[in-house]
Amino acid sequence: MAKGTASRAFVWVILGLLIVALAGFGATNFGGSVRSVAMVGDMEVLVDDYGRELQQDLRALAAQSGRAISLAEARALGLDAAVLSRLVSQAALDNETARINLSVGDEMVRDQVAQIPAFRGIDGSFDREAYAFTLGNTGLSVAEFEERVRNETARNILQGAVINGVPAPQVFTDTLFNWALEERDVTWALLDADDLSEPLGEPSDADLQAYYDANEAAFTLSETKAITYAWVTPRMILDTIDVDEDALRSLFEQRASEYIRPERRLVERLVFADSAAAEAARAQIDAAEMTFDDLIEDRGLSIGDVDLGDVTIDELDAAGEEVFALTEPGIAGPLPSPLGPALFRVNAILSASETSFDDARDELAAEYASDRASRLILDMRDQVDDLLAGGATIEELAEETELELGQIDWRQGVEGGIADYLEFRDAALIAEAGDFPEMIEIEEGGLFALRVDELRPPELQPLQAVRSQVIEGWELAETARLAEARAQEAAQAIRDGREMAGLDLPLRAEMGMGRNAFLDDAPDGMVDGIFQMSLGDVRVFQAESGAALVRLDTITPPDPDGAEAEALKANFNQQAIQDMAGDVLLMFTRAIQNSAGVQVNQQAINAVHAQFP
């Protein structure tokens, strides 16, 4: 692709993203009488731009999390600061392009706008009415949009000038290549309770008290919310559903294909170009020269390409009678098929089956009742919503509807009952004392509303209440301590010249281990630690209930030659160039920000935030 063509394509992408970013946000005016939330040199960061970007990022965050995100939550994650930083960086680049008189002419802007698909008419040519209509939906005038196009283009020209041609030194690429693909051989042993010289003794009261005191966080209940709720699910009202026998028989008839099933076969079909080819293939199978699987493989096919699943005699058309004549798995054919002559392999024979209405009644009744219960709950929604909107309490809601009243001391990790439902856990997590109850739907068809009665701070449980957990924790910690002590003794013995094989350790060998290797039972961080060791080093890694002793036996650098190595080096080089270019652009942007000066209008930012729910 020619350089000019690539540049135009890049600009079209930028313009398309710009239109998408603005779409749907233009109707909201965040500014009032204040124009900007920040100034970089002579360039403003407009209030409306900040509001649009913040709104867009909020929606993206909500889409990722699958639930509505409040501005307060987003700000706690630093979203507002990220948006402002991004816009300030753009303004700094715009200010610099203005300072050095870098711009593009009207002709380039016109040509770029004319190429945007959203502005084309039915005949594919630029349509001025479509142009004005599309921009009107974004809240931008033609002049404002074209100025944005001009600024975007100039900004990208400046960015390109800063980052283009950033080299990645060959020594850096080679070092990265060697680092990433180096392999290591190790001999190691995982020591646990079975490898201690003596069985673990019983802990004394002083031992338990010391462990409890040193690990109070493990025995502290997290913040707890005392919650009153009212709820209903289809299961809760199944017993109140009257089952209609006529409806069950009608449902049975509708589902007759599930309960009355003819004889079937599990069949694979391999089609050939003509009868001669099919006959030749069958002869090879009969002579044991080829198998059906060999024929499939020779054709470059997979089992999925020839598998028909379970079929009836009618579904096999003209081949059905002979295929179903097989009394055990085997090959039939060649036989005609809609695609040509074919061999059929029968893998299993499925007998006909018939379930009577009486045998199916319980299953149908359960399905009918569950469906009916779900419909009844759907009918309750408006009543529940109206009661809550009218100020009904949770207790009143339970009195006047089918919802059942309940209470729970909820904190993260609590299970059972209503806490088993994700919707309840999400609502309980963000609910605060004093919030008005709202109706919330459960995905499987239920409803609930909740009220936080009390917020209890984290609470350290008494030692006696968690004694069994303390004993378990002490045993793990003590086992790990003793195992590490033995591993350290063995490590020192190896360093002093003892043979690792003579130390009565459960040794394992790992050969050709890369940085992404996974070793069963290895402690966290052991693989990374191995790649920080020198040849011949011996090191101990602590595990949750033991310790690992590792000796590094061999370091094998990657083969630097060959097509695969060159391709990998090229990838590393390209990635290094991109990373360096990003760093260069970041440093350049910070430099021009410092040079131009940044002024932030916090009152304007607060005013924008106040308009968010």
Side-chain angles (χ1 to χ4, degrees), residues 179 217 244 287 316 418 562 574 595 603:
W179 180 89
D244 186 308
L316 291 176
I418 195 171
Q574 186 60 38
S595 176
Q603 289 183 336

Side-chain angles (χ1 to χ4, degrees), residues 80 91 236 532:
D80 57 328
M236 294 167 62
Q532 298 170 15

